[in-house]
């Protein structure tokens, strides 16, 4: 049973996510029928830690406190040049080796990666940092699209609110759904969001450095409601389809079909966020042809529906 929690705070710690961890595990709510935790925030030497917000946090524990914990969490830190000291990596390895839970929030995943705990594991971080995490730790299986991932007793989450979801997920496993729901109600947050729910990632067109395909891309982007295929796009570029497809991948790092679908998804998302158009009209304007096809791509790429997506970003949804 989860009873002892240690949070490792590194320089430039993110105060919101640290606050979330304190809210989840650091407050005594036993009088309300909720579990109590022996909770501590640790630093490398037990001294103050500078926060991302411009003030220091007084810490009373050093890393030895993590050796007692059932759960060791690395809070996010905003210093890409900072490499966690070997003492931090050793503490994480020891925790994992003795069967404790090890968790990261947002950029805290970089400490887990440096400790080797992400090798061969599915993991996540904030989508802004996912490519760097994958580049630095190529043995990690980085999924930038999800809110949180549990692989064994290693739990990684995306940024900000996803840390709440990951924490409630762990509490649900260690205690019960009823306990997690009570805590969520106390925190005034949704009691459960699946880890596989998509982060809402903005993925604009990657700039193309040469002029070969830019006119074609501009033409397609201005006519997304029209049918486009590899053959029609290749004709615009005056290339054979196979040559065009190869050049397209070289210059955009995507296949023509995947790039086209991504751009249509971006347009559909913006129309859902910014207009009162019905789902059928949005499907037509974005080039999906039908609401059923639009729903299929939303389920596949965002793990949600167009209606639910609109409800997330707007206070009211048109009938």
């Amino acid at each position: 049973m989860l009873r002892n929690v240690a949070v490792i705070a590194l320089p430039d710690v993110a105060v919101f996510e640290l606050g979330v961890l304190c809210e989840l595990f650091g407050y005594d709510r036993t009088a309300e029928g909720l579990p109590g935790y022996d909770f501590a925030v640790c630093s490398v030497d037990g001294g103050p830690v500078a926060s991302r917000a411009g003030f220091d946090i007084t810490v009373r524990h050093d890393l030895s406190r993590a050796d007692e914990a059932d759960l060791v969490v690395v809070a996010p830190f905003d210093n890409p040049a900072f490499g966690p000291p070997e003492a931090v990596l050793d503490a994480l390895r020891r925790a994992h080796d003795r069967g404790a839970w090890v968790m990261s929030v947002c950029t805290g995943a970089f400490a887990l990666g440096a400790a080797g705990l992400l090798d061969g594991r599915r993991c996540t971080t904030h989508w802004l940092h996912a490519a760097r995490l994958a580049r630095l730790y190529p043995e990690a299986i980085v999924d930038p699209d999800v809110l949180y991932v549990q692989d064994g007793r290693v739990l990684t989450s995306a940024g900000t609110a996803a840390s709440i979801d990951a924490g409630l997920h762990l509490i649900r496993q260690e205690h019960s759904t009823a306990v997690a729901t009570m805590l969520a109600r106390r925190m005034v947050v949704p009691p459960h969001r699946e880890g596989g729910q998509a982060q809402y990632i903005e993925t604009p067109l990657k700039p193309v450095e040469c002029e070969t395909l830019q006119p074609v891309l501009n033409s397609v982007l201005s006519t997304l409601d029209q049918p486009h295929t590899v053959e029609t796009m290749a004709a615009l570029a005056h290339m054979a389809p196979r040559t065009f497809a190869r050049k397209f991948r070289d210059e955009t790092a995507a296949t023509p079909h995947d790039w086209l679908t991504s751009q249509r998804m971006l347009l559909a998302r913006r129309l859902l966020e910014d207009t009162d158009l019905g789902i059928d009209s949005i499907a037509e304007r974005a080039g999906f042809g039908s609401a059923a096809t639009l729903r299929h791509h939303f389920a596949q790429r965002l793990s949600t529906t167009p209606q639910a997506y609109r409800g997330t970003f707007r206070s009211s949804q048109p009938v």
Side-chain angles (χ1 to χ4, degrees), residues 186-242:
R186 179 67 174 79
M187 294 173 64
V188 197
V189 297
H192 184 48
R193 288 199 298 171
E194 290 287 349
Q197 183 170 328
Q199 298 184 47
Y200 291 122
I201 304 171
E202 185 70 12
T203 52
L205 171 66
K206 179 182 177 181
V208 177
E209 300 299 331
C210 68
E211 294 298 320
T212 311
L213 296 182
Q214 193 65 59
V216 175
L217 300 183
N218 290 342
S219 176
V220 172
L221 286 172
S222 65
T223 57
L224 285 174
D225 59 327
Q226 300 299 312
H228 294 286
T229 64
V230 174
E231 289 74 20
T232 60
M233 288 190 282
L236 289 173
H238 306 290
M239 294 180 183
R242 183 174 295 181

Side-chain angles (χ1 to χ4, degrees), residues 265 283 287-299:
M265 281 289 293
F288 287 112
S290 70
T293 302
L294 179 64
R295 292 188 189 100
H296 166 77
H297 285 290
F298 261 74

